[in-house]
């Protein structure tokens, strides 16, 4: 028998998706003594990719008491270097400027971060291998049918189910998308080929390659126009397509040669026109999705989740819709601005004609590194 209401001033919350947004929100709600139910479609947290966390996202772990653990499990990037396809360095950012102003850019494997966030969710009811079949908004609550056939009622449902959110589709309908027409492949290699604290990218005409060190391993990312990377053999198609880069940079050739299990990602993103529908709300990539190349999606997902938890800390079950309205007002503008910037960056990165790529490289070399870091630092000073 279901007991209703859950308890006197509680807010019975369902979080869909145990990624960065879902687990951050769950951890903050657990701190408030409002243990949520969190469901996750996937049964495994292994595999995945490296995440670069900026202080605007990692700072949430200060409040959870796990920041020091994050530092132990991650690697602080000391320099970011951008080169053209013949290896000429166009930009070199000394990240100590960022570290001194706000804190380090930390590279961590996604699965380690998931484990760390989940360790702060002791009170939550975490159910893996479960998803939602249907949602029905009643007057004061939401009826949820799970894919195992069970039905439960909640005061609040938070969709943290990522860029392809099926909850968003179910409740809000199709969202607007940005497609760059490029695909990125990611895979892990050993630490030998690349410097351990330097994130490096090579931009060519119609191709990119990046090496992002994490503790004990390096995540490689290589991409190009989707049409040029067709075929199921990722190694062969990257070797073919990135041949100029491989000729100039032996480490790139070696890393592609070492490719075993690679994942492909379409370089696109999503922006939902609405975040809130009565007692259902979007958070993280489900609301504003980010391309991997932006390097800021996880940080935004975490700070949006912390912002939502903050608004909910002042709400009871009756005032949930107001808390959701305030959360959207608080977060939407700044996250959408970040996404607009990431699309701008994508247009600069994903250039195909050689002449345009040459012009881009000249301009990239002139852009003051200090100014780019200043923009990141300034954005952290805006209220959120
Ligand atoms: C290759 C790659 C590299 C990236 N690098 C960076 C980086 O360096 N820095 C950075 O800040 N960001 C990076 N990003 C972006 C970042 O991963 C996302 O912005 C961030 O993970 C968004 O968090 P989220 O919780 O909203 O979604 P996710 O982390 O995607 O989590 C969504 C969760 O919901 C689950 N789920 C999905 N559908 C359902 C369902 N129907 N029912 C139940 N569960 C469901 C998924 O299994 C997943 O666990 C990268 C992304 C990729 C793909």
């Amino acid at each position: 028998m279901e007991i209703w209401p859950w308890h006197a001033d509680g807010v019975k919350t369902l979080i869909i998706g145990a990624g960065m947004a879902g687990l951050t929100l769950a951890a903050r709600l657990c701190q408030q003594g409002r243990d949520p139910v969190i469901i996750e479609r996937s049964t495994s947290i292994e595999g995945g990719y490296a995440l670069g966390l900026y202080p605007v996202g990692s700072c949430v772990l200060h409040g959870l008491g796990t920041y020091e653990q994050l530092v132990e499990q991650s690697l602080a990037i000391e320099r970011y270097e951008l080169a053209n396809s013949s290896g000429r360095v166009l930009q070199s950012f000394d990240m100590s400027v960022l570290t001194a102003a706000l804190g380090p850019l930390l590279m961590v494997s996604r699965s380690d971060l998931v484990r760390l966030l989940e360790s702060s969710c002791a009170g939550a009811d975490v159910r893996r291998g479960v998803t939602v079949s249907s949602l029905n908004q009643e007057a004061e609550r939401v009826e949820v049918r799970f894919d195992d056939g069970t039905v439960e009622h909640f005061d609040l449902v938070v969709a943290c189910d990522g860029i392809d959110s099926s909850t968003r589709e179910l409740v809000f309908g199709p969202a607007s998308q940005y497609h760059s027409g490029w695909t990125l492949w990611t895979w892990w290699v050993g630490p030998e080929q690349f410097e351990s604290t330097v994130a490096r990218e090579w931009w060519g005409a119609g191709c990119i390659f990046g090496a992002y060190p994490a503790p004990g391993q390096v995540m490689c990312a290589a991409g190009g126009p989707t049409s040029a990377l067709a075929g199921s053999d990722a190694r062969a198609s990257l070797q073919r397509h990135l041949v100029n880069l491989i000729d100039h940079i032996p480490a790139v050739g070696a890393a592609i040669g070492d490719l075993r299990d690679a994942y492909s990602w379409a370089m696109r993103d999503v922006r939902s026109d609405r975040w809130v529908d009565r007692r259902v709300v979007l958070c993280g990539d489900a609301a504003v999705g980010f391309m991997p190349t932006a390097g800021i999606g996880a940080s935004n997902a975490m700070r949006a989740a912390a912002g939502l938890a903050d608004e909910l800390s002042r709400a009871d079950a009756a005032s949930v819709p107001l808390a959701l309205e305030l959360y959207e007002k608080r977060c939407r503008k700044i996250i959408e601005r970040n996404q607009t910037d990431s699309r701008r960056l994508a247009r600069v990165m994903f250039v195909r004609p050689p002449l345009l790529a040459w012009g881009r490289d000249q301009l990239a070399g002139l852009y003051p590194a200090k100014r780019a870091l200043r923009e990141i630092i300034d954005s952290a000073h805006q209220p959120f």
Side-chain angles (χ1 to χ4, degrees), residues 107-318:
M107 292 301 301
V108 60
S109 91
R110 185 182 186 275
S111 42
D112 284 347
L113 184 57
V114 164
R115 263 189 287 272
L116 186 58
L117 288 170
E118 203 168 324
S119 70
S120 300
C121 300
D125 175 359
V126 185
R127 307 174 191 171
R128 291 195 175 273
V130 179
T131 187
V132 165
S133 304
S134 68
L135 289 168
N136 180 27
Q137 299 224 44
E138 299 173 348
E140 301 288 331
R141 58 186 190 166
V142 189
E143 182 194 72
V144 181
R145 182 176 293 276
F146 297 104
D147 61 349
D148 59 5
T150 56
V151 176
E152 284 179 56
H153 292 88
F154 295 89
D155 297 311
L156 166 65
V157 174
V158 188
C160 299
D161 47 350
I163 198 161
D164 292 319
S165 168
S166 51
T167 317
R168 182 185 63 224
E169 193 73 21
L170 208 61
V171 178
F172 300 85
S176 68
Q177 302 211 4
Y178 166 81
H179 287 270
S180 74
W182 280 42
T183 293
L184 193 73
W185 286 92
T186 61
W187 69 100
W188 292 103
V189 295
E192 307 80 23
Q193 307 285 353
F194 301 98
E195 275 169 81
S196 62
T197 55
V198 183
R200 286 183 186 281
E201 289 177 355
W202 289 267
W203 295 2
C207 67
I208 50 169
F209 184 92
Y212 310 93
Q217 53 187 349
V218 174
M219 186 187 83
C220 296
T226 304
S227 54
L229 291 175
S232 55
D233 186 341
R235 184 169 25 177
S237 67
L238 287 174
Q239 277 169 336
R240 197 176 52 247
H241 185 66
L242 272 65
V243 65
N244 282 339
L245 204 51
I246 291 169
D247 281 350
H248 285 103
I249 325 286
V252 171
I256 295 176
D258 283 351
L259 182 155
R260 297 285 171 273
D261 297 321
Y263 299 88
S264 82
W265 311 93
M267 293 296 99
R268 64 183 172 87
D269 69 29
V270 172
R271 180 181 289 193
S272 183
D273 292 340
R274 290 189 303 137
W275 288 18
V276 180
D277 184 355
R278 287 167 287 167
R279 288 173 179 272
V280 179
V281 63
L282 306 177
C283 187
D285 270 10
V288 180
F290 281 84
M291 280 176 273
T293 44
I296 192 82
S299 295
N300 272 312
M302 290 171 71
R303 69 172 170 167
L308 175 56
D310 186 32
E311 295 301 338
L312 289 170
S313 72
R314 292 182 284 271
D316 64 2

Side-chain angles (χ1 to χ4, degrees), residues 19-136:
M20 306 309 114
L23 288 170
T24 302
L25 176 63
R28 296 294 276 181
L29 292 179
C30 286
Q31 278 189 323
Q32 297 170 20
R34 290 173 156 181
D35 302 337
V37 174
I38 175 159
I39 61 162
E40 166 58 49
R41 182 177 58 185
S42 170
T43 50
S44 165
I45 59 173
E46 300 311 322
Y49 43 86
L51 283 173
L53 277 190
Y54 281 96
V56 289
S58 59
C59 65
V60 175
L61 298 189
H62 289 304
L64 294 172
T66 51
Y67 185 80
E68 288 311 316
Q69 278 166 269
L70 173 69
V71 170
E72 279 162 26
Q73 292 174 24
S74 57
L75 193 148
I77 295 298
E78 291 174 1
R79 200 151 43 91
Y80 162 80
E81 220 168 77
L82 169 64
N84 68 6
S85 54
S86 29
R88 184 167 67 85
V89 175
L90 304 171
Q91 276 295 352
S92 182
F93 292 10
D94 177 356
M95 300 302 278
S96 66
V97 177
L98 176 79
T99 305
L102 297 175
L105 167 62
L106 296 172
M107 292 301 301
V108 60
S109 91
R110 185 182 186 275
S111 42
D112 284 347
L113 184 57
V114 164
R115 263 189 287 272
L116 186 58
L117 288 170
E118 203 168 324
S119 70
S120 300
C121 300
D125 175 359
V126 185
R127 307 174 191 171
R128 291 195 175 273
V130 179
T131 187
V132 165
S133 304
S134 68
L135 289 168
N136 180 27

